Amino acid sequence: LAPGGTIVQCSCSSRVSEDVFNGDVRAELERSTRTFASIDVTGHPIDHPVTFAEGRYLKAIFAHAS
């Protein structure tokens, strides 16, 4: 990824928890030769209510490379 670029990592798997997904993505960004600044971490929109743990399957991380 070129400096100034944006990386987006997404998952729509209920088998990967938010904590595991976020931790794994952040760990790999830290291993990179680039420095990354978090832009946003997202999940389900307000009109997509989650009433059980496996329902939290939408996750995304946006980061800026410098």
Side-chain angles (χ1 to χ4, degrees):
L1 182 65
T6 300
I7 187 167
V8 179
Q9 293 288 296
C10 305
S11 173
C12 62
S13 173
S14 64
R15 296 183 186 262
V16 179
S17 72
E18 287 178 279
D19 290 340
V20 169
F21 174 76
N22 292 341
D24 286 352
V25 171
R26 288 175 197 267
E28 289 305 312
L29 292 178
E30 289 173 5
R31 286 175 23 126
S32 172
T33 58
R34 299 258 182 260
T35 300
F36 290 90
S38 179
I39 297 171
D40 201 3
V41 177
T42 66
H44 286 75
I46 196 166
D47 65 344
H48 192 334
V50 178
T51 58
F52 56 100
E54 294 82 6
R56 299 200 59 80
Y57 61 92
L58 297 177
K59 342 175 220 315
I61 295 178
F62 300 78
H64 177 77
S66 55

